[in-house]
Amino acid sequence: MSTDKIPTVVVDDLHVRYKLIRGARAGSAAGALLSLLSGKSPGQLIQSVHAVKGVSLTAYAGDTIGLVGRNGSGKSSLLKAIAGLLQPSQGDVYTASQATLLGVNGALNKAVSGNRNITIGGLAMGMSRAEVEEIRPGVIEFSDLAEFIDLPMGTYSTGMQARLRFSIAAARQHEILLVDETLSTGDTEFQERSQTKIRSLANSAGTVFLVAHSQTMIREVCNRAIWLDQGVIKLDGETAEVLDAYEADIQEKKAARDEGN
Amino acid sequence: MTGKSVNAIIDEFGLVSASKIPPLGSYLKQTWQRRDFIIELARARSTAEYSDSMLGRVWQLLTPLLNAAIYFFIFGILLGTKKGIENYTTFLVAGVFVFNFMQVSVTLAASALPRNLLLIQAIHFPKLVLPLAVVVQQIQQYFVSLAVLIVIVLLTGEPVTLMWLAMPVVLILQILFTTGLGLIFARWGANSRDINQLLPFFTRSWRYVSGVFFSITVFTATFAEWISTVLLLNPGAVYIDLVRDSLMTSQTNEPIIWIMGVFWAFLFFLVGLIYFHRGERKYVN
């Protein structure tokens, strides 16, 4: 890699472990007391997941990186760690500025209106009230939710929530933007508009990480792709090369499964 | 990697760790920059709280009034606790309002982080804003209650004295203390829902030892002196007594109560702030 590129994200031997609370333990109060006395948590079944197992990478200004891999390969955990929304259990992530994550969770506060969520989202990202008012008309227009904007966000569909959230974040220039499947929840027309937006963000010297169901979209938008498999990087390189290898692997596994049947 | 060490790249391009806690100074600066965010969260909570009820914000006034009426009926009339207290109505209402502010703030602060999980998982910001928003919202509610209290004070024939000027100071001290205690509970409550089960027992016990509806001096007259001293110096009793002292001519405090009022305020505010800041990275997983 050439030395004149400006690194914006450095991931250094990153490990992410998190605890999943798998619901309440069944049984009686007496049983719960007994398990407490024997040193176990009586209330919860906890499972530890080692989602990312030693990932290292450097992303540069102008990079648009597609992340591919099966469910549970650690794509979302990696993005959350870069955004500072998950604490690494080992290793670290270094960024040039605070990364913004767009995830499937669209609503910030379901009890209040979409309009109020624009305010909350903008202020949380560190904007001033004046800046929020400046972006508000554009956000409402881009999200195409004008007639619903004063309704509580709890009444929105998942797609509408994601649209509003994307529009809030896209209203501003980001040096580092992380997109996690958000686009797949909007309708086709919105997907097209958001793809255009992502391209323009990437062109304006930002760094974009993209997790999408659609590999076509990754091929169209990304200049680099990373294939994650069970928490480690299997391949990191040109989009076409990585996706070809990934798709070949899927076909291979599928063929093996069909043979087994 | 380019062959350069990670540390060299980080230094050369000024990259910042996403997982290390920023120093207290810049943490407070980031929080201050988001002061509008704190106010917005407090407002959003008030809106959500009152939007379901027909009377809406009238409850902000009705709740403290009903509380005061019930306590007056039970403790003043049925149980006759007012023995030895001049102007029991004001004495009681002041106790109830001053204590409720602390109790509700601390209780809501304990669940401030779990309640805002959607926001925490979506956007990176100093989590200090969440318990602070709770306190800001409660301060607003407290001021409505205090306006009711002032009316009761005047209706029960208390004169306006120079001591009223002490009220702003008392309130600032009480708010500092409450914020600090709230921050401690906010950190405990962030990772353990068990705290929220235990908290009602703690606040109820605290209410009973803080002289909300009786005079500690009269009540503990037959007890060992240290019991009376401990009860009188506990922060709950201290702030209640300082408000009563400021608004009622029949209530006067030893200077030690004022000293304790200042002491608890700064001790808890500083300890709470530092303790909450130290846990910043624990709030995300």
Side-chain angles (χ1 to χ4, degrees), chain B residues 162-189:
Chain B
L162 273 178
M163 276 305 285
W164 283 40
L165 293 175
M167 270 301 278
V169 180
V170 173
L171 292 179
I172 288 169
L173 293 175
Q174 194 199 359
I175 288 167
L176 284 176
F177 164 77
T178 307
T179 307
L181 187 62
L183 289 176
I184 294 170
F185 276 102
R187 175 163 169 186
W188 287 345

Side-chain angles (χ1 to χ4, degrees), chain B residues 11-261:
Chain B
D11 286 346
E12 187 182 342
F13 294 94
L15 302 186
V16 180
S17 163
S19 71
K20 293 204 175 54
I21 304 173
L24 186 59
S26 55
Y27 185 69
L28 292 178
K29 207 176 135 201
Q30 286 174 22
T31 307
W32 175 245
Q33 280 166 351
R34 282 176 173 76
R35 57 195 180 278
D36 282 337
F37 181 40
I38 296 174
I39 292 163
E40 183 61 31
L41 282 173
R43 277 193 203 153
R45 222 196 107 69
S46 291
T47 310
E49 192 173 344
Y50 296 111
S51 64
D52 291 339
S53 55
M54 214 162 55
L55 293 175
R57 283 187 173 258
V58 178
W59 282 112
Q60 273 197 305
L61 204 63
L62 273 184
T63 310
L65 279 176
L66 286 174
N67 266 327
I70 290 166
Y71 278 108
F72 183 74
F73 181 69
I74 295 175
F75 294 100
I77 297 173
L78 285 185
L79 298 178
T81 328
K82 62 179 159 188
K83 226 179 273 171
I85 299 168
E86 259 181 70
N87 192 356
Y88 184 70
T89 312
T90 304
F91 178 91
L92 176 73
V93 173
V96 171
F97 288 0
V98 173
F99 191 84
N100 274 9
F101 165 64
M102 296 190 277
Q103 180 189 348
V104 178
S105 300
V106 169
T107 305
L108 289 176
S111 61
L113 285 99
R115 260 189 291 111
N116 286 290
L117 203 62
L118 283 178
L119 196 54
I120 292 173
Q121 287 174 341
I123 300 175
H124 178 92
F125 59 89
K127 308 302 175 281
L128 182 59
V129 303
L130 297 173
L132 289 186
V134 165
V135 178
V136 168
Q137 192 220 352
Q138 289 309 311
I139 290 172
Q140 197 245 337
Q141 166 69 57
Y142 190 28
F143 283 173
V144 175
S145 301
L146 287 175
V148 173
L149 175 64
I150 298 287
V151 172
I152 293 173
V153 165
L154 294 172
L155 284 179
T156 53
E158 294 284 345
V160 180
T161 66
L162 273 178
M163 276 305 285
W164 283 40
L165 293 175
M167 270 301 278
V169 180
V170 173
L171 292 179
I172 288 169
L173 293 175
Q174 194 199 359
I175 288 167
L176 284 176
F177 164 77
T178 307
T179 307
L181 187 62
L183 289 176
I184 294 170
F185 276 102
R187 175 163 169 186
W188 287 345
N191 298 309
S192 159
R193 310 295 139 94
D194 297 330
I195 290 298
N196 293 308
Q197 299 287 340
L198 276 173
L199 203 59
F201 300 104
F202 164 77
T203 53
R204 207 168 304 151
S205 318
W206 190 24
R207 176 184 290 266
Y208 291 142
V209 299
S210 296
V212 171
F213 25 70
F214 59 87
S215 157
I216 293 176
T217 334
V218 175
F219 185 72
T220 57
T222 56
F223 296 178
E225 202 187 325
W226 69 266
I227 297 180
S228 162
T229 310
V230 168
L231 293 193
L232 281 171
L233 297 187
N234 105 67
V238 164
Y239 295 113
I240 292 173
D241 282 347
L242 288 180
V243 169
R244 284 176 183 155
D245 187 8
S246 306
L247 298 178
M248 301 171 72
T249 46
S250 53
Q251 301 287 318
T252 45
N253 284 309
E254 305 286 326
I256 182 72
I257 300 295
W258 284 93
I259 294 167
M260 290 311 288

Side-chain angles (χ1 to χ4, degrees), chain A residues 58 87 92-93 95 98 116 124, chain B residues 16-19 34 281 285:
Chain A
T58 304
Q87 179 72 358
D92 207 347
V93 173
T95 57
Q98 177 60 49
R116 205 117 192 210
Chain B
V16 180
S17 163
S19 71
R34 282 176 173 76
R281 297 305 308 174
N285 287 31

Side-chain angles (χ1 to χ4, degrees), chain A residues 176-191:
Chain A
I176 305 161
L177 185 66
L178 316 170
V179 185
D180 187 359
E181 311 273 16
T182 316
L183 309 171
S184 53
T185 51
D187 50 36
T188 324
E189 196 245 322
F190 186 75
Q191 282 183 30

Side-chain angles (χ1 to χ4, degrees), chain A residues 129-142:
Chain A
R129 272 194 193 276
E131 284 173 298
V132 172
E133 291 319 315
E134 221 167 86
I135 64 157
R136 190 186 303 280
V139 171
I140 297 173
E141 202 201 318
F142 191 84

